Amino acid sequence: MEKVGGGIVTGTGTGTAAARKVQRLAEACIAEVPPQYIQKPSNRPDTHIFDEKDDDDDNEGSIPLIDLTGLDEEDKRRSIWESIGKACKEWGAFHVTNHGVDLALLRRMRSVARAFFEDLPIQEKLHYACNPSSFASQGYGSRMLAAPPASSHHPPQNEDADILDWRDYFDHHTLPLSRRNPSRWPHSPPTYREVVVEYSDEMKVLAQKLLGLISESLGLPTSSIEHAITNGIGDFYQNITVSYYPPCPQPHLTLGLQSHSDIGALTLLIQDDVPGLEVFKDSHWFPVTPLPHAILVLLADQTEVLLLRFFFAPIFFSPIIFGILV
């Protein structure tokens, strides 16, 4: 039985025609993927190298898992920020558990996200379609950050920019509050908007907590990185992107999400139970095992710029993850 997967990304060019939606292609039971979704051979998921470490190697090829229990106790807090510092330097990514976000909220966020994609008819989903003439607009789409048409002001992009990901998504502009407009989000299921607002607020708190711990791991005051990031802006910018990866007839030719690093400071990701996400480290691609109670933390480009001497922003990609990424 084919599984549908995905996840939800919180981070600090889209076609709107129904025919362009990947879910519609999957529901049509096509035997072959359209050519615009086929990756070059060098980029296809079965060509990536997976690392195999020796049993006695300290780095076992798994994303570090860090328990945030005990942040109010000096000794435990020190141990936690030391672990986070090590994970940032070696991976640029780590899982956190006991993170303070209600696990029931994570389940509700996954549930309303899946319901939007799987329960609403396509015409109703298209009411929330992204503006194809606006760069990175919020809403329902299939191609995020689409390159502008070639012109005297915008030279043609390289050929990889024209290859499409095998996914649909819904992007929400959630912070600062001046960008948050729940009326542009789905009204069905009935709790959708309420859940996204609560999830946004909780993820902001977690992001502030993590930035503080990263600062402490460098011997800096807790607020240092947050102040550097918000200086001149006054508040966090936050988007919440739900990614939906339908079943694919030729998954060996496509990617759910092509390799990239994220803009912003941090990416906080909750996955469903379907694997597929990978992180690039030491010239190898490492699979990220979904952990239902954990949140995946990825350093993003803005943090890399601030801390270039210490950390790096990881590159990651998703082969066809049959699911939802939140």
Side-chain angles (χ1 to χ4, degrees):
M1 177 179 179
E2 290 183 307
K3 298 188 72 176
V4 176
I8 302 170
V9 172
T10 307
T12 51
T14 55
T16 60
R20 296 180 183 175
K21 296 296 180 282
V22 175
Q23 187 176 4
R24 293 277 286 184
L25 294 175
E27 291 172 348
C29 299
I30 58 174
E32 298 180 351
V33 299
Q36 63 266 36
Y37 294 94
I38 297 177
Q39 297 289 322
K40 295 191 304 183
S42 60
N43 292 341
R44 293 174 190 172
D46 60 350
T47 65
H48 289 295
I49 302 171
F50 288 81
D51 197 30
E52 296 181 0
K53 298 289 185 179
D54 296 332
D55 291 339
D56 58 352
D57 197 323
D58 289 337
N59 184 344
E60 297 180 352
S62 298
I63 298 294
L65 176 62
I66 300 173
D67 187 340
L68 299 186
T69 301
L71 287 177
D72 294 332
E73 302 174 32
E74 184 176 351
D75 289 346
K76 288 186 177 180
R77 186 180 184 91
R78 180 183 182 87
S79 176
I80 291 169
W81 61 246
E82 286 178 345
S83 296
I84 286 178
K86 185 173 187 290
C88 288
K89 293 173 185 177
E90 295 180 357
W91 284 87
F94 53 95
H95 280 114
V96 291
T97 57
N98 293 308
H99 35 65
V101 181
D102 189 349
L103 298 181
L105 174 60
L106 302 187
R107 290 192 293 271
R108 292 199 303 274
M109 187 67 225
R110 293 187 185 99
S111 176
V112 298
R114 185 179 290 274
F116 169 78
F117 284 99
E118 297 185 350
D119 297 346
L120 268 65
I122 183 64
Q123 292 305 320
E124 186 168 349
K125 288 199 283 275
L126 287 174
H127 288 315
Y128 306 100
C130 296
N131 180 355
S133 64
S134 177
F135 181 74
S137 65
Q138 72 172 324
Y140 173 51
S142 294
R143 186 177 186 183
M144 188 175 288
L145 303 176
S151 68
S152 58
H153 300 291
H154 298 286
Q157 302 291 315
N158 64 58
E159 60 182 14
D160 287 353
D162 295 326
I163 300 175
L164 301 180
D165 296 323
W166 190 264
R167 74 156 184 165
D168 295 331
Y169 68 85
F170 199 108
D171 190 42
H172 312 72
H173 294 177
T174 46
L175 290 176
L177 293 177
S178 59
R179 298 172 71 235
R180 183 185 289 180
N181 183 3
S183 68
R184 299 188 61 182
W185 306 343
H187 69 277
S188 180
T191 59
Y192 189 104
R193 297 172 180 177
E194 171 190 337
V195 170
V196 172
V197 166
E198 183 180 357
Y199 183 83
S200 167
D201 293 341
E202 290 297 316
M203 286 296 169
K204 177 183 178 182
V205 172
L206 177 58
Q208 290 174 308
K209 183 187 303 182
L210 292 167
L211 290 173
L213 291 166
I214 294 171
S215 293
E216 292 176 38
S217 76
L218 297 172
L220 301 173
T222 304
S223 60
S224 296
I225 297 178
E226 180 178 345
H227 285 173
I229 289 170
T230 59
N231 183 35
I233 301 175
D235 201 353
F236 282 112
Y237 270 68
Q238 180 198 73
N239 284 17
I240 293 175
T241 303
V242 179
S243 293
Y244 185 84
Y245 303 94
C248 178
Q250 295 175 300
H252 59 288
L253 299 179
T254 58
L255 289 174
L257 190 59
Q258 298 176 57
S259 60
H260 66 286
S261 62
D262 281 338
I263 60 174
L266 291 176
T267 294
L268 304 179
L269 167 65
I270 62 171
Q271 298 169 266
D272 61 10
D273 60 349
V274 182
L277 180 67
E278 297 178 8
V279 171
F280 193 70
K281 174 184 181 293
D282 298 336
S283 302
H284 296 276
W285 286 98
F286 291 83
V288 180
T289 302
L291 302 176
H293 303 316
I295 294 173
L296 179 64
V297 183
L298 297 158
L299 297 191
D301 294 340
Q302 192 172 5
T303 305
E304 179 190 17
V305 171
L306 289 170
L307 306 175
L308 194 57
R309 292 178 58 191
F310 302 95
F311 304 153
F312 60 94
I315 299 172
F316 50 95
F317 88 111
S318 294
I320 297 305
I321 323 177
F322 301 132
I324 299 175
L325 193 62
V326 183

